[in-house]
Structures are given as structure tokens and as C-alpha cells.
Amino acid sequence: RTRGTDSEEKIRERLQTAVREMQCAGEYDYIVYNDTVEQAVRDILTVIAAEKLRFARDPQVVERMLSHA
């Protein structure tokens, strides 16, 4: 509302969408709050880094590590 870029109807639609999305929050692996753009960007970059390190992305990593030991 303070931006003044959306109609009241559009704001209501966005809020209804947000409520539906929050009701499904348990289906997501990560939640990023968009309180500030800077923090949201840091959080998203953290999620990307975490995803790159998931074992499921490279199940042979342990085998390779053991072969170098």
C-alpha cells in the first residue's frame, strides 16, 4: 500500500495468494522472508550454496574422497 503501485483489489489478491502459499509452507525445503532485499538475497545465495552441497547431487563424493585417502 505504501508503494502506491497496486490497486486495493490487486493487494487483496496478493494477500490471498500469500495466505495460500503459507498454508503450503510445509511442502517447501526453504523459506525466505522478504523483509529486506539485502537479507533475502543473502538467504537465497545460502540456499543455493546448500543445494550445491547436497549429498544427493553427487552420491559418489564419498567414494572419491575415500579413494584419495
Side-chain angles (χ1 to χ4, degrees):
R1 289 187 173 100
T2 57
R3 287 188 231 161
T5 57
D6 293 324
S7 68
E8 193 61 32
E9 180 182 344
K10 186 66 172 174
I11 291 169
R12 275 194 298 274
E13 288 174 19
R14 291 176 65 194
L15 289 172
Q16 289 172 350
T17 298
V19 168
R20 284 193 308 274
E21 290 173 352
M22 286 188 281
Q23 290 170 337
C24 298
E27 297 177 31
Y28 297 99
D29 293 324
Y30 303 97
I31 296 176
V32 175
Y33 294 99
N34 193 10
D35 289 335
T36 66
V37 173
E38 295 81 8
Q39 184 61 49
V41 168
R42 284 193 297 270
D43 291 346
I44 291 168
L45 292 173
T46 300
V47 169
I48 292 169
E51 284 298 311
K52 287 180 179 178
L53 294 172
R54 273 190 188 259
F55 179 76
R57 296 229 183 265
D58 188 5
Q60 286 79 34
V61 68
V62 174
E63 188 176 306
R64 286 196 310 275
M65 289 170 53
L66 290 173
S67 71
H68 290 94

